[in-house]
Amino acid sequence: MAVGWFYLSVLALCSLGSMCILSTIYWIWYWQGGFAWDGTVLMFNWHPVLMVTGMVVFYSAASLVYRLPQSWVGPKLPWKFGHAAMHLLAFILTVLGLHAVFDFHSHRKIPNLYSLHSWLGITTVFLFACQWFLGFAVFLLPWASVQLRSLLKPIHVFFGASVLSLAIASVISGINEKLFSSLKNGTNSYSRLPSEAVFANCSGMLVVVFGLLVLYILLASSWKRPELGMQAERQVWGFGLPFQVGVGPGLGKGHPVKTWALPGRPTQ
Amino acid sequence: MAVGWFYLSVLALCSLGSMCILSTIYWIWYWQGGFAWDGTVLMFNWHPVLMVTGMVVFYSAASLVYRLPQSWVGPKLPWKFGHAAMHLLAFILTVLGLHAVFDFHSHRKIPNLYSLHSWLGITTVFLFACQWFLGFAVFLLPWASVQLRSLLKPIHVFFGASVLSLAIASVISGINEKLFSSLKNGTNSYSRLPSEAVFANCSGMLVVVFGLLVLYILLASSWKRPELGMQAERQVWGFGLPFQVGVGPGLGKGHPVKTWALPGRPTQ
């Protein structure tokens, strides 16, 4: 039943995530003139698309890697690589999204980082970078002790969900800001809710629904890899490559699970 | 140790919450002309103050009632009343905050509910209202069965944290929108970061820090009332007044706790 709900949620997530990206592309392409990489406003147009794709949809997909039941069985290391690689891809898209807006500002002599949207956005990207480097250094490289991992995992998990929440707040304030600055005149003013405003507002609300569903799945304990794995597993190095001593989920039964847990759901 | 951390966090929360309210009042009073209840822009000025106070700070305080160790011992019913009453106060402040902006719009013939900020804000208030009525009907009135309460509690808990997250996103987009619309001219333009922009941006970031701390405490299981209480307790009616059969936290030891739980923290 829990697995059935999980795959139903995955289907809903894939649909919603695709819709978030496609609706942002359509908004920009249809109403804002499309895309270019030339320092004009068409370069700025990559910013909302890359931020929604990188900081929201790909970030969410990367965060949910350990919720796949397949990831619960056998060695955890390949899944860790997948988690880190997908987050790195999300981060690269995010940096490209930032580059698009900074380059546009630079060409147009517009100051950077003055609005609250930009302050929150750059803070979110900074936290994402810290989160990635902390995760890479402590959970992927083999030097960290089990104690250090246990100490840092709650911080890693909490800031994982927090970064996504802050990214959604940044996207909402960004779409709001863009519509206020581009819908100003007569029948096309934002307050008259022209079709662009309705479409872009709906895209923003879609991002919110997607984010809430991701957070629900992230925090629901029954969709997590049983926690005993983290206690028992240690990467070991052999033949010049890292291997991992892991435990299957069955071994975790009866062990007190100290993770985010949703009320009313069994933890294993 | 956990109790020490809890009270340190309560102190930080009280300070941060007060700073959120005071800094919003100061921003409006010093740079936006102060307050009135007369349909002018001075009436609109109540909107940010009442929304930050009601939807963020009072809402957070009401949500954290069950985290006080005092609430873990003895009957739960008085704490439920406190939880519901504080949320009602937060809701009243929120409605007053909405009234301030709707009345201002009505006097100035400005359309309502067109920006993404307003769409997200009104959705958040609607979810808050549903959340309060659901909580009142199911968890405070005595008719609901233990099974129904167990079924609905995860939804109540998840949407409790979600409403706060959405409120923070609404506040951020609202401050951003207000600064874009009021800082337009010459040396006072938003992009030149005049003192008002720096101050209001800092106030917005303060709300974010406050919200993250509240969410951390809300989701940390070691600061929760032991869960067995919910299973065993039922309100009973006598002398025309509701009473409650409750259990102390000591009785909960060893019982599997199925609530949000932060990794690395004991659940009881």
Side-chain angles (χ1 to χ4, degrees), chain B residues 143-156:
Chain B
W143 67 269
S145 67
V146 170
Q147 286 73 22
L148 183 65
R149 290 182 182 191
S150 298
L151 189 72
L152 290 180
K153 195 172 173 191
I155 298 170
H156 190 69

Side-chain angles (χ1 to χ4, degrees), chain B:
Chain B
M1 181 59 179
V3 172
W5 270 109
F6 175 76
Y7 281 109
L8 199 67
S9 305
V10 166
L11 187 69
L13 270 185
C14 290
S15 313
L16 275 170
S18 307
M19 282 165 68
C20 287
I21 297 173
L22 291 175
S23 67
T24 313
I25 292 174
Y26 188 78
W27 165 38
I28 296 295
W29 173 77
Y30 189 78
W31 282 285
Q32 295 288 331
F35 304 92
W37 201 262
D38 56 0
T40 66
V41 74
L42 300 185
M43 181 160 181
F44 168 87
N45 286 350
W46 280 108
H47 176 65
V49 171
L50 287 167
M51 298 320 267
V52 167
T53 308
M55 273 302 304
V56 178
V57 181
F58 277 43
Y59 181 95
S60 298
S63 301
L64 290 170
V65 155
Y66 297 128
R67 300 302 172 275
L68 287 168
Q70 290 85 344
S71 77
W72 298 359
V73 195
K76 196 174 177 182
L77 194 58
W79 296 98
K80 284 190 178 184
F81 273 114
H83 183 68
M86 287 172 73
H87 269 305
L88 187 61
L89 177 62
F91 190 71
I92 290 168
L93 291 175
T94 301
V95 171
L96 285 174
L98 286 185
H99 179 69
V101 67
F102 281 116
D103 206 54
F104 163 67
H105 283 179
S106 163
H107 274 79
R108 291 276 289 267
K109 308 270 187 287
I110 299 170
N112 290 307
L113 299 175
Y114 62 84
S115 71
L116 182 53
H117 158 69
S118 64
W119 284 28
L120 182 65
I122 207 76
T123 304
T124 308
V125 176
F126 175 73
L127 286 175
F128 183 14
C130 294
Q131 177 81 346
W132 195 88
F133 283 109
L134 179 93
F136 182 77
V138 175
F139 299 108
L140 197 59
L141 295 182
W143 67 269
S145 67
V146 170
Q147 286 73 22
L148 183 65
R149 290 182 182 191
S150 298
L151 189 72
L152 290 180
K153 195 172 173 191
I155 298 170
H156 190 69
V157 170
F158 179 74
F159 276 97
S162 300
V163 165
L164 178 61
S165 307
L166 298 183
I168 292 165
S170 304
V171 165
I172 293 299
S173 55
I175 295 174
N176 204 49
E177 179 178 321
K178 177 69 183 166
L179 291 173
F180 263 101
S181 67
S182 66
L183 297 175
K184 285 177 175 170
N185 307 315
T187 55
N188 201 36
S189 79
Y190 197 3
S191 63
R192 286 173 173 264
L193 270 181
S195 54
E196 177 181 358
V198 174
F199 189 88
N201 280 1
C202 289
S203 302
M205 295 302 287
L206 210 61
V207 169
V208 169
V209 173
F210 174 79
L212 288 182
L213 187 55
V214 171
L215 288 170
Y216 185 84
I217 295 179
L218 270 181
L219 301 174
S221 66
S222 65
W223 293 330
K224 284 191 172 181
R225 182 187 167 100
E227 193 64 8
L228 188 59
M230 200 191 80
Q231 302 296 326
E233 85 206 0
R234 287 300 308 274
Q235 280 102 290
V236 292
W237 292 77
F239 309 107
L241 285 169
F243 292 92
Q244 195 175 41
V245 181
V247 292
L251 294 177
K253 283 191 196 310
H255 188 271
V257 174
K258 293 166 181 170
T259 55
W260 301 98
L262 201 68
R265 294 184 174 283
T267 48
Q268 294 190 46

